[in-house]
Structure formats: C-alpha cells, structure tokens
Amino acid sequence: MDICVCIKRYPSLGSAIMLTDDGMAIDTDKLGFTLSPHEECAVEAAVQLKEEHGGTVTLISMGPEGVEEQIREQFAIGADRAIWIRSDSTDIDPQAAAKAIGDAIEADETAFDLILLGSESADNANAQTGVRLAHRLGRPVATAIKGMTIADGVATCERAVGTMREVYRVRLPAVVTVKDGLNIPRYPSVPGRIKARKKPIDEVTGDLDAPSIQLMGLTAPIRESKGAQDLGAGDEAADALVDVMKQIGVLS
Amino acid sequence: MILVYADHDRGELDPLALQVVSAARGLDADVHALIVGPNAEKCVDDLASAGVRTVHHGTNAAIDDYTPRANANAVITVMDRLEPRAVLAAGTPRGSEVLAHVASIKDLPLVTECSEIALTGSGTAEVTRARWGGNLLERSEVSADVLLATVQAHAFAVSEDAGDAQVEAFEVPVTDADLEVSIVERTGAAETGVGLAEAKVVISGGRGMDGPEAFGMLEELADILGGAVGCSRVVTAAGWRPHAEQVGQTGTKVAPDLYIAFGISGATQHIAGCKSAKTLIAVNTDGQAPIMTHADYAVVDNLHTLLPVLIEKARAAQGA
Ligand SMILES: Cc1cc2nc3c(=O)[nH]c(=O)nc-3n(C[C@H](O)[C@H](O)[C@H](O)COP(=O)(O)OP(=O)(O)OC[C@H]3O[C@@H](n4cnc5c(N)ncnc54)[C@H](O)[C@@H]3O)c2cc1C
Ligand SMILES: Cc1cc2nc3c(=O)[nH]c(=O)nc-3n(C[C@H](O)[C@H](O)[C@H](O)COP(=O)(O)OP(=O)(O)OC[C@H]3O[C@@H](n4cnc5c(N)ncnc54)[C@H](O)[C@@H]3O)c2cc1C
C-alpha cells in the first residue's frame, strides 16, 4: 500500500503568542517548530499500515525553507521519502494549497492508495484542504477520523461525536483527514534517526493561484494575569480548597 | 437572502444551528434554512422559532442517513436557484465537511470558525475567525460572490422570533459517487471520559502526575465533586489516559464551573481547551508556571502529597 501524508510545520508556541509589529504574523524569531498532533497521528497511522500491509510512506509539505527538520523527524519514525513544494509565499489560501498539493500528487509516479491529512491545521484551521484535494483528485473522502482500519481495499473510519462514534466506509484510493487520538505516535529510534539522514526529499515548485482570502490582521486577545489568589500549601491549602469548592457550590 | 445549512442527527436538530440562524439574521432579515434527509421535518418548528420563515427540505429515496456529498448537492441546488449572498453552517465536523464539499465543487473560498461576519460590498466580506484553537483572532477579507462560512460555537446568542415557516420540499440530485460515503453504523462510547465537555467540574492532571497511578486520586476527587477527569497531551501521548480525556486544542474544549489543573504547565494549546472555565485552580510545584496567569487560585505544592489530604477533607466536608 502506498500512502501519502500531508504535513505542515508550525511554530512551537509555548505559553504566550507574540505577534510581529505589523500584526500580520506570529513572531517566530525565538521559536522552534513542530508538527501538529493531528498530522503526527496521520504519519503514525501510515507507518503502521506500511508495517501491516507493506508499501511506502511519502510525506508532502508545502511551505518555505525549514520544513526539512520536521520531514527528517518523520523519516525517523518510518516515512520513506518526501515531496517538498517550495513556496515562500504566506499568501496561500486553502484553495491554492489543495490545488498545488493535488498537482504534485498527480505529477508523482506513485499512485497513492491512501492520502492522509490533519482534519484541520494547528494555525489556520480552515478544515478543508483534505476535501478540496479529494475533489481535485476525484476520490472519496472521510473527515475528522479518530479510528481507522483497512481491509479488502476499504477503509473503515470512525468519527467521534460526543460519546458516540459514526462509522464511514471509504473505498480506496481515498483521502482521509484524521484527528489527534487516532493512535499514540511513537518516538523516533536511534537507528531510525540515522536512516532518516539519507532518505530523499524531492523539491518541486508549486503553481499557486491568487488567494481569495486576504489576511487583514491578527490579534492575540489580551490575557492579563487573573492575579491568582495564593492558597498556601499542605493542610492549609487543602482546607482553603474545600472552602472554595463549597463557595462555588460544587461541594455541599 | 442568507441560507443556513441546518444539520440534524436522525431528526434531532443540532442546537448550534439556531446560533447560526442568529448569525445569519445579523446579515439579512431574510434567512432560509436547509435540512436534508428523512426525519428532518422534525426540525422545522425549532428553526421557525428562531426566525426562519422558509425551510428547504431536500430528500431522495437513496439518502437514509447523513451523507456529506448529497447534503452538499442539496446546498448547491438551493444556492443555484435562489442565489443567497452567504451560506452559513455550524463549525462542527459535519458543518465544515458539507461546506468544504460545496466550496470544492463551486470553487469558492470557505472560512471557518467565524465569530464575526460582515458583508462589506458586492462580492466581499470581512470575517473574524479563530486560529490556534481560539488563542489568536484573524481578521480576513474574503472575495466571493457567495460567502461560505462556518460559525464558531457560542459566538452568537440564539434570538427568538416566533412564527411559522413554510416548507419547500425538493429532490436532491445524487450520483452513486455522492452516496458512497455515508454513516453506515453508530457505535456507543468506545472510550471513557463520557460527558467531559458538559461536566460542571473537571479535575485534570498533567506530566506532574508522573504516571498513570496517581490518576486514581483524581478519579476519587472527581467522584466526590460529581465531575470528570481530564488531562494534558503529555499524558495521552504517554498512554497514561485515553485521548477522550485530553483537554485542549486537539482534545476536548470544556467550560465547567470549576477546573483544577494538577501538574499542568499551561501551554497555549492546553489553555485553548479550558479557558472558558468559570473558576480555575492550579496546583503546581512551580509558582512561576504559565498556568498561574490563568488561575483564580494557586496552590504551590507537590500534588502527590496534597491530593490525599484534599480528598480526605473534601470527603469529610461532603459527609458533614
Ligand atoms: C489569511 C491567510 C494567512 C496565512 N498565513 C500563513 C502563515 O503565516 N504561514 C504559513 O505557513 N501559511 C500561511 N497561510 C497558508 C495556510 O496556513 C495553509 O497552508 C493553507 O492555506 C491551508 O489552509 P489551512 O491551514 O487552513 O488548512 P486546513 O484545511 O485546516 O488543513 C488541514 C490539513 O491539510 C494539510 N495541509 C494544510 N496546508 C498544508 C501545506 N501547506 N502543506 C502540506 N499539508 C498541508 C495538513 O495535513 C493539515 O492538517 C495563510 C493562509 C491564509 C488564508
Ligand atoms: C498543535 C498542537 C496542539 C496541541 N494540543 C494540545 C491539547 O489539546 N492539549 C494539551 O494539553 N496539550 C496540547 N499540546 C501540547 C502542549 O503544547 C504541551 O506540550 C502540553 O500541554 C504540556 O503538558 P503538561 O502541562 O502536562 O506538561 P509540562 O509542560 O511538562 O508541565 C508539567 C507541569 O507539572 C509541574 N509539576 C511537575 N511535578 C509536579 C508535582 N509533583 N506537583 C505539582 N506540579 C508538578 C511542573 O512544574 C510543570 O509546570 C499541543 C501542541 C501542539 C503543537
């Protein structure tokens, strides 16, 4: 089974979000980068499927330089190769992104049985790239999936809704967008990291349409410290906590 | 005219649909709603009570449960006939899925999780939408003849406007490919953590719990307070607790009366899930942990020694 996973890199935010002076982007000067849990689960699922059914795992990412770091991390857990659609533009809307990713998938010599994406990206979260890609490639799609098994060319996909799960069946080749909780992503092993250095990244250039969504500005809602009341420690704190619980009516 | 895609599950209207109607009425008094499939007619009265005067009901003998692409076809049928200025849906997996199909087929932009929407001219709109799980707000301008947008939960209050709605039934055009993906089955709670989203009290643990064992104490405390247990992603990634209990951007968003964070540092992605708590208590050995800036009450102490004492005292208080 040949699987393709779409990943994107995101700044590691930590505890506060700093914006650039013009308020048009996150100031990433002092930040590291990471993947989203949704996409980590997508790669883990692909590697597990490869282990079970054989085949290959290809990563695809569109964006500026730097994403190699995240690609190598995922090589270390078992992905085989990557396609990097180089683009320095931050003016990519999901319509343009899905088209460029679709072009790259079509141009690739591998006919992917399964294409996995996150259900929504960690930053923009427009929750649509997977569906657009499916239409672009003429394939069925299931979205926001938290459980998946594959047998006889059919992906049985579960979506969590409250305490229930809705089950969808999707015939391969297909597109599936997944959520954190699909599995527990493994940590890279030392041999994995060594192999990762040699795995190939093919660089391609994307043909980007003009965006129909234009960013006007970002704001980080001001979060002034609530000025937490210090309840002390030990027995004294436990008594104070019980008082607070009574006061707000959760303990009678 | 504004069209609202109103989702329902086997005849039970998604309560968020009424908030979407409210958002739509803020743009134009003339709001139509669209419902699809069998049993959907049960939703008409609720939609009418929120001010919808025309409900389009799409059916097809081949549609017997939620079928994303068929629902998208239904939206497109009404769009093509009545040319609404905007089509809105709830920011749920189904709402964004159906509109994403519509957007793909009609090659239109789609903006999700909007908390403010303004139609600024013919073919332009300005929206405010959530990024990073609500930790950042984006203002964007969208160029499209028909604005497709999903609405963030609880951003618009339901406004009542009693009256009747006229129902216009129509046949939804579908091909075999449109019917391929639909709900084939529902299974019960596959995980624990039931009711976390609605719980009045959430007792959460993070890396400071040092392993799955100490969560027994959180369960005890949650039991006494009639609450649910939550956790951070470090905890689910280590396999200490199931993902259904994860609070945060890629977990569950909670809005309890009381949230207690034991050994959680307060990363933005965790705060995204608990910032709506009425009262937040942080228990952490580090008085400088970022969670402290979100807390109403702070206990700077080791959770492992505090919890047994707290449980005993809470139980005694409950008995008294
Ligand atoms: C107003 C605006 C501002 C933007 N600003 C930035 C910016 O500052 N920095 C920046 O890097 N991008 C920026 N972009 C581009 C944007 O983040 C996406 O790459 C693209 O628009 C997809 O939208 P989304 O993230 O909402 O996708 P969603 O549909 O929410 O993403 C779902 C999944 O699609 C896949 N996916 C999405 N994008 C990519 C990608 N580029 N490569 C591989 N897989 C992908 C991932 O698996 C992801 O989990 C901006 C776009 C817009 C419209
Ligand atoms: C895109 C994205 C999405 C994410 N989504 C989520 C999400 O949904 N939910 C989520 O939680 N995280 C999420 N994360 C991860 C997040 O960034 C943090 O890594 C995570 O929340 C940290 O968990 P923690 O607070 O338990 O651990 P840490 O940050 O390691 O904090 C542990 C805390 O415990 C305290 N402590 C240690 N020992 C004790 C003790 N004995 N007694 C008391 N206190 C003690 C420490 O002082 C410290 O403050 C996401 C990350 C990304 C990039």
Side-chain angles (χ1 to χ4, degrees):
Chain A
M1 212 159 96
D2 294 313
I3 306 169
C4 172
V5 188
C6 302
I7 61 170
K8 187 176 154 182
R9 75 182 206 143
Y10 307 95
S12 300
L13 291 184
S15 59
I17 300 181
M18 295 299 178
L19 297 177
T20 52
D21 289 339
D22 64 0
M24 295 295 275
I26 291 178
D27 184 355
T28 54
D29 255 12
K30 298 186 181 62
L31 300 180
F33 287 83
T34 181
L35 281 193
S36 148
H38 297 320
E39 291 152 37
E40 282 174 359
C41 287
V43 179
E44 175 64 34
V47 172
Q48 284 180 14
L49 286 167
K50 181 179 84 167
E51 287 164 351
E52 194 185 331
H53 302 273
T56 59
V57 176
T58 301
L59 306 172
I60 184 159
S61 187
M62 179 166 73
E65 212 151 338
V67 71
E68 180 176 349
E69 181 193 343
Q70 281 65 44
I71 290 175
R72 299 264 174 225
E73 277 284 302
Q74 301 306 308
F75 278 168
I77 79 150
D80 303 293
R81 60 179 277 255
I83 303 169
W84 170 37
I85 309 169
R86 189 188 184 124
S87 155
D88 297 319
S89 165
T90 52
D91 260 358
I92 319 159
D93 68 6
Q95 249 171 310
K99 184 173 171 294
I101 294 171
D103 287 348
I105 287 175
E106 257 184 358
D108 198 71
E109 58 214 13
T110 317
F112 298 107
D113 301 293
L114 181 63
I115 299 168
L116 298 175
L117 299 90
S119 66
E120 77 272 344
S121 64
D123 52 359
N124 262 19
N126 270 305
Q128 57 189 254
T129 305
V131 175
R132 289 189 186 275
L133 187 59
H135 281 271
R136 166 80 181 70
L137 300 171
R139 296 180 178 197
V141 58
T143 67
I145 294 310
K146 231 174 136 174
M148 181 173 65
T149 51
I150 292 184
D152 303 325
V154 174
T156 302
C157 302
E158 291 178 16
R159 181 196 276 174
V161 182
T163 61
M164 301 281 294
R165 287 195 165 211
E166 300 172 347
V167 182
Y168 298 85
R169 282 202 195 97
V170 190
R171 184 164 296 283
L172 303 185
V175 177
V176 176
T177 81
V178 305
K179 285 188 97 72
D180 187 14
L182 177 70
N183 50 43
I184 300 180
R186 71 193 72 181
Y187 290 100
S189 62
V190 174
R193 283 192 191 282
I194 292 166
K195 277 193 218 147
R197 291 188 206 135
K198 293 208 185 69
K199 293 182 179 173
I201 302 178
D202 300 329
E203 185 182 324
V204 301
T205 42
D207 184 11
L208 286 176
D209 288 351
S212 4
I213 304 172
Q214 284 290 350
L215 180 66
M216 297 165 68
L218 299 172
T219 43
I222 306 161
R223 199 171 289 126
E224 281 169 33
S225 173
K226 282 182 167 176
Q229 189 180 331
D230 189 351
L231 300 182
D235 273 25
E236 174 205 354
D239 284 326
L241 284 173
V242 167
D243 286 343
V244 170
M245 289 169 184
K246 283 185 184 159
Q247 204 184 309
I248 60 178
V250 298
L251 190 65
S252 49
Chain B
M1 189 269 277
I2 311 293
L3 180 65
V4 169
Y5 166 76
D7 192 60
H8 69 96
D9 194 59
R10 293 165 292 175
E12 199 178 313
L13 183 68
D14 173 6
L16 297 179
L18 300 182
Q19 297 176 14
V20 181
V21 169
S22 184
R25 285 173 63 203
L27 299 177
D28 188 336
D30 188 15
V31 174
H32 292 211
L34 166 68
I35 50 180
V36 185
N39 299 315
E41 59 282 357
K42 292 180 189 155
C43 308
V44 172
D45 289 349
D46 282 346
L47 291 165
S49 72
V52 174
R53 295 290 164 263
T54 308
V55 177
H56 303 273
H57 183 190
T59 55
N60 184 308
I63 304 173
D64 56 7
D65 204 338
Y66 172 71
T67 310
R69 280 185 60 172
N71 289 18
N73 287 355
V75 173
I76 290 168
T77 305
V78 179
M79 259 170 79
D80 287 348
R81 194 153 54 84
L82 299 176
E83 299 181 347
R85 183 63 187 81
V87 182
L88 308 184
T92 57
R94 287 193 189 176
S96 42
E97 178 174 57
V98 170
L99 288 199
H101 279 291
V102 172
S104 306
I105 296 165
K106 302 295 280 183
D107 200 22
L108 286 168
L110 160 64
V111 278
T112 59
E113 292 289 307
C114 299
S115 53
E116 287 173 40
I117 303 173
L119 300 171
T120 46
S122 65
T124 55
E126 273 179 37
V127 300
T128 303
R129 51 180 301 275
R131 278 206 196 186
W132 283 103
N135 281 313
L136 204 57
L137 293 178
E138 166 194 318
R139 265 187 326 114
S140 290
E141 185 176 65
V142 190
S143 310
D145 294 335
V146 187
L147 172 72
L148 300 180
T150 73
V151 171
Q152 193 186 336
H154 311 301
F156 297 86
V158 176
S159 56
E160 306 247 321
D161 182 12
D164 290 329
Q166 179 187 334
V167 179
E168 293 189 3
F170 68 101
E171 169 100 1
V172 181
V174 289
T175 63
D176 287 347
D178 296 328
L179 297 169
E180 228 183 284
V181 180
S182 75
I183 296 182
V184 291
E185 191 187 335
R186 286 176 178 76
T187 57
E191 294 162 343
T192 55
V194 175
L196 181 60
E198 290 83 34
K200 291 274 170 242
V201 176
V202 175
I203 311 293
S204 267
R207 192 197 299 270
M209 299 296 290
D210 290 333
E213 297 78 16
F215 275 88
M217 291 193 282
L218 298 195
E219 281 173 358
E220 258 185 89
L221 186 58
D223 225 31
I224 296 169
L225 302 175
V229 171
C231 65
S232 73
R233 184 158 201 280
V234 164
V235 170
T236 56
W240 299 347
R241 301 294 289 184
H243 187 269
E245 291 181 4
Q246 182 178 312
V247 172
Q249 185 180 337
T250 58
T252 302
K253 294 203 163 87
V254 300
D257 292 338
L258 175 63
Y259 188 85
I260 313 187
F262 287 96
I264 292 176
S265 63
T268 46
Q269 299 94 353
H270 186 81
I271 298 301
C274 62
K275 62 177 190 258
S276 303
K278 287 205 188 97
T279 301
L280 195 149
I281 300 174
V283 178
N284 202 303
T285 41
D286 177 4
Q288 302 303 313
I291 187 94
M292 295 304 180
T293 63
H294 303 277
D296 299 282
Y297 299 97
V299 175
V300 181
D301 199 356
N302 184 338
L303 67 90
H304 297 281
T305 52
L306 179 78
L307 265 168
V309 185
L310 176 59
I311 289 168
E312 192 190 317
K313 287 184 190 283
R315 188 167 280 131
Q318 185 191 39

